Amino acid sequence: MRLIFLGPPGAGKGTQAKVLANQWQVPHISTGDILREAIQGKTSLGIQAATYVEAGELVPDLLIMAIMRERFGREDVEKGWILDGFPRTLAQANALDQLLQIMRQPYGKVVYFDVSSDVLVKRLLQRGRVDDTQETIGRRLEIYQEQTTPLIDFYQRRHCLKTIDGNLPISQINQKLEALFSALV
Ligand code: ADP
């Protein structure tokens, strides 16, 4: 099972990724989680990433790719993976292609979580994480529009994109994902 979860902040990618990774026994790889852990642990990665994350800006591609190369160097990725929050830019998507080629891993399927913007803002404000202030939420959605939405087209051209209605309740999205991908596990 190799899945890339694509969608705006607050789309519910992380929630679904956790459940499915557990069900399918594959690693859930969330760049957001990795960064938050590094920031909390004050590692060198964390110190470099903190200002970007706190301002709602993207962490530079080079830093993200260093994280992903390290993560894909671990053995558990051979079973498959669910990527959550990565890739987020075209440069990252191209770098991921190369990484998978080098590792001789087959290409994954991409799930696009389509959610209306009023639902997103409501969910993010409810979540109340430190980077979920009204100001950073606006900035994160703006960056998503500019830098991440081109990936929808990028993956559509490769015919590996499935769109899910992310406005639905958690359990219904889970059922849809299971119906779509259980056969691939
Ligand atoms: P959300 O989906 O709510 O934006 P994440 O946990 O995925 O939350 O990411 C939190 C923050 O971590 C982002 O706002 C960004 O600063 C940083 N980040 C996560 N993934 C990436 C990535 N692939 N490229 C650049 N920055 C990232």
Side-chain angles (χ1 to χ4, degrees), residues 42-98:
K42 297 199 166 56
T43 64
S44 113
L45 164 67
I47 292 162
Q48 291 178 74
T51 45
Y52 299 101
V53 173
E54 279 152 22
E57 301 289 332
L58 290 185
V59 172
D61 290 330
L62 277 177
L63 208 54
I64 295 289
M65 288 320 300
I67 295 173
M68 292 314 284
R69 269 193 299 276
E70 195 270 331
R71 188 61 190 84
F72 270 88
R74 279 159 59 179
E75 246 174 42
D76 61 352
V77 295
E78 277 162 32
K79 291 186 290 189
W81 30 260
I82 299 178
L83 298 184
D84 162 19
F86 171 88
R88 248 178 164 93
T89 64
L90 280 173
Q92 290 177 17
N94 283 311
L96 174 63
D97 276 5
Q98 281 181 1

Side-chain angles (χ1 to χ4, degrees), residues 131-184:
D131 58 340
D132 286 340
T133 62
Q134 194 101 44
E135 215 176 40
T136 33
I137 289 172
R139 183 67 190 135
R140 299 222 306 278
L141 290 174
E142 209 173 83
I143 290 177
Y144 169 76
Q145 278 305 330
E146 280 168 19
Q147 309 245 33
T148 311
T149 52
L151 297 187
I152 300 168
D153 197 44
F154 178 91
Y155 287 119
Q156 211 149 32
R157 283 166 200 262
R158 300 175 169 214
H159 307 288
C160 59
L161 191 85
K162 297 266 182 210
T163 300
I164 287 265
D165 179 359
N167 299 300
L168 294 172
I170 292 174
S171 62
Q172 280 188 40
I173 299 178
N174 178 259
Q175 279 169 13
K176 281 184 191 286
L177 288 169
E178 273 186 40
L180 278 172
F181 298 113
S182 282
L184 299 179

